[in-house]
Amino acid sequence: MPEFKTAAVFAKRTEPMGAALKMLLAILEKEGVRALLEESTAKHLEGARGHSLTELGRQADLIIIIGGDGTTLGIARRMAQYKLPIIAINAGRLGFITDFTLEEMATALPPLLRGEYSVDTRSMLQVRVYREGQLIFEDTAVNDAGITHGRAGSMVEFNVWVDGFPMATQRADGVIVATATGSTAYAMAAGGPILHPSLNAMVLVPVAPHTLTNRPIVLPGQSKIDIELVAAREAAVYCDMQDFISMQKDDVLTISSIAESFTILHPVNHNHYKTLQQKLYWNCMPTPNPSADTSKD
């Protein structure tokens, strides 16, 4: 018997996915799992019926995504309220939060559908923008949220408070607040540390700060971060580099963790350090584990 009865199926929109979807649907049918295609996903297959997000959230007990990290992030945000676990199949480039490729799908997917998996629960961010005390924007982020300088190309100046305490005034190209998931994305490229995904933490990273002593800082996951825009020719708030809203002087960006999270199902042999080796090309010498007990009786 399959572990799951109904799967909500999503595929990236920007490339032909018909052949990949046919492969996936054949696997699901063989495993006894009913497939419901999301509306834009159904357009990849002639005559296929699509379902709204509400229908998928109410009827499915699993989400399967064929795409890259960007596709997975967008769907995780849109479907967060339904708290459905996600299996992500890489049809993109890096695929840091996906586990296996289309070529590996036929062998890697069936065990997960039968209940042979490890569970990985990730935190998300609540993002709000206030103007003159009034809420003008609200969204969620899986990877990161922050302020960018926009097309003007000049720096932005901002004040940072953490849990109501004034922490810093900075001038930089922007600022990033990332989850542990997002610590291997834009935050890492801007010089931030990599956080293990099991950590309940956030990292605040200034982007190309004008003062060299302004460095990234790791904060508790329950922190509330307020960032006030002091000055900028142009600035915008972003969520996962997918949603943007323009900022004005004195606007306040507020970021905190939220109760909603998203859960990824990995193969049972999944290991985060192996992912770092494979995706970020970390070298690892094949030496014995120094903590292993090699003594003989």
Side-chain angles (χ1 to χ4, degrees):
M1 292 293 292
E3 173 79 4
F4 302 100
K5 296 181 179 180
T6 305
V9 176
F10 294 78
K12 66 189 304 183
R13 305 177 183 181
T14 56
E15 297 178 19
M17 288 285 115
L21 282 170
K22 289 178 181 178
M23 291 172 52
L24 173 59
L25 295 179
I27 295 170
L28 294 177
E29 182 178 10
K30 183 178 180 180
E31 295 297 322
V33 179
R34 178 188 176 207
L36 300 177
L37 301 181
E38 180 265 340
E39 289 173 333
S40 64
T41 299
K43 294 178 181 179
H44 289 291
L45 297 174
E46 185 177 354
R49 180 193 170 195
H51 299 264
S52 67
L53 298 185
T54 301
E55 289 177 310
L56 297 176
R58 291 175 177 173
Q59 297 183 47
D61 52 10
L62 171 71
I63 294 172
I64 299 179
I65 301 168
I66 297 179
D69 288 341
T71 303
T72 303
L73 292 174
I75 293 166
R77 293 169 55 215
R78 292 159 61 198
M79 297 294 290
Q81 61 179 308
Y82 301 109
K83 302 184 184 299
L84 300 177
I86 293 172
I87 296 174
I89 302 165
N90 187 23
R93 287 173 293 180
L94 181 62
F96 201 90
I97 57 178
T98 59
D99 284 304
F100 49 89
T101 64
L102 293 173
E103 292 74 20
E104 299 166 324
M105 179 169 58
T107 55
L109 180 58
L112 275 72
L113 299 174
R114 299 168 193 162
E116 300 173 24
Y117 54 75
S118 61
V119 178
D120 183 4
T121 301
R122 306 291 185 93
S123 61
M124 299 177 65
L125 299 176
Q126 179 73 63
V127 182
R128 295 186 174 98
V129 177
Y130 294 89
R131 181 169 296 159
E132 298 180 352
Q134 300 297 314
L135 179 66
I136 64 168
F137 176 79
E138 185 172 14
D139 205 344
T140 58
V142 175
N143 260 1
D144 49 40
I147 300 174
T148 178
H149 58 49
R151 293 172 296 176
S154 59
M155 290 188 293
V156 296
E157 184 174 346
F158 51 90
N159 295 323
V160 181
W161 287 265
V162 177
D163 296 327
F165 185 86
M167 189 184 77
T169 296
Q170 298 179 335
R171 297 182 71 230
D173 281 359
V175 60
I176 306 164
V177 177
T179 61
T181 302
S183 69
T184 51
Y186 185 19
M188 181 182 72
I194 294 176
L195 306 182
H196 192 279
S198 65
L199 290 176
N200 179 23
M202 297 183 284
V203 58
L204 189 150
V205 183
V207 181
H210 187 257
T211 303
L212 294 179
T213 52
N214 286 338
R215 311 304 301 164
I217 182 170
V218 178
L219 300 169
Q222 66 272 20
S223 300
K224 176 175 175 289
I225 302 170
D226 295 311
I227 305 174
E228 178 191 32
L229 184 64
V230 176
R233 288 177 56 193
E234 184 178 346
V237 169
Y238 68 88
C239 294
D240 288 339
M241 284 297 171
Q242 295 179 344
D243 291 340
F244 293 82
I245 180 174
S246 296
M247 289 191 80
Q248 298 179 9
K249 182 179 180 296
D250 299 327
D251 284 357
V252 177
L253 166 63
T254 297
I255 300 175
S256 59
S257 293
I258 55 176
E260 284 82 4
S261 60
F262 78 103
T263 299
I264 305 174
L265 302 184
H266 299 292
V268 292
N269 62 349
H270 172 78
N271 183 283
H272 183 64
Y273 306 111
K274 183 178 180 180
T275 301
L276 295 177
Q277 293 172 21
Q278 292 177 335
K279 305 295 184 179
L280 301 184
Y281 304 104
W282 283 16
N283 190 27
C284 184
M285 296 297 292
T287 56
N289 181 354
S291 64
D293 184 3
T294 57
S295 61
K296 296 182 180 180
D297 295 334

